[in-house]
């Protein structure tokens, strides 16, 4: 929450200057790419079971396109986690109409 959510807040803050927002985008993208291998051995974030950590992480990942962040194909474990988790009925049911239109 301290790292990723703070960067999202900075990106979304219209009072932030673009260089700071661009840096936050870059740092968030690189951090998410760096954590991608975590999803190689476990189905969820550092766990075999869906947890509150996933509940916090998935909304952030869903919003990446709106934040101007694209995860490269090289981060396949993270992309697979996102695809698998976004397909969960509970996640889909949690989305608002606006959020559904983002993807």
């Amino acid at each position: 929450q301290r790292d990723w959510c703070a960067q999202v807040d900075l990106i979304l803050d219209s009072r932030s200057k673009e260089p700071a927002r661009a840096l936050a985008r870059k740092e968030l993208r690189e951090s998410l790419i760096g954590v991608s291998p975590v999803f190689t051995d476990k189905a969820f974030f550092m766990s075999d079971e869906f947890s509150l950590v996933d509940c916090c992480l998935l909304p952030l990942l869903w919003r990446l396109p709106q934040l101007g962040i694209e995860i490269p194909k090289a981060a396949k474990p993270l992309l697979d986690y996102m695809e698998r988790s976004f397909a969960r009925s509970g996640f889909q049911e949690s989305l608002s109409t606006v959020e559904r239109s983002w993807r």
Side-chain angles (χ1 to χ4, degrees):
Q1 182 170 349
R2 250 191 339 232
D3 297 331
W4 294 338
C5 290
Q7 290 168 328
V8 169
D9 289 344
L10 181 63
I11 294 165
L12 294 175
D13 188 347
S14 61
R15 298 170 294 172
S16 299
K17 296 190 178 189
E18 187 50 40
R21 293 166 75 185
L23 180 59
R25 272 187 207 93
K26 180 179 185 269
E27 289 175 354
L28 178 57
R29 180 179 184 271
E30 288 176 1
S31 182
L32 290 170
I33 291 168
V35 79
S36 180
V38 167
F39 299 101
T40 302
D41 298 326
K42 303 285 184 181
F44 301 103
F45 191 81
M46 300 178 80
S47 177
D48 290 322
E49 296 181 22
F50 191 81
S51 72
L52 286 175
V53 176
D54 300 290
C55 291
C56 294
L57 179 58
L58 288 169
L60 183 150
L61 295 173
W62 182 263
R63 289 165 172 79
L64 290 179
Q66 278 54 50
L67 300 173
I69 297 172
E70 183 178 332
I71 301 298
K73 291 180 183 178
K76 185 171 177 16
L78 175 60
L79 293 170
D80 290 347
Y81 163 75
M82 291 166 61
E83 182 179 332
R84 184 175 60 250
S85 299
F86 293 162
R88 293 173 62 96
S89 63
F91 182 80
Q92 287 297 315
E93 291 170 12
S94 76
L95 297 171
S96 69
T97 303
V98 171
E99 290 168 328
R100 266 193 205 94
S101 72
W102 292 346
R103 289 180 175 255

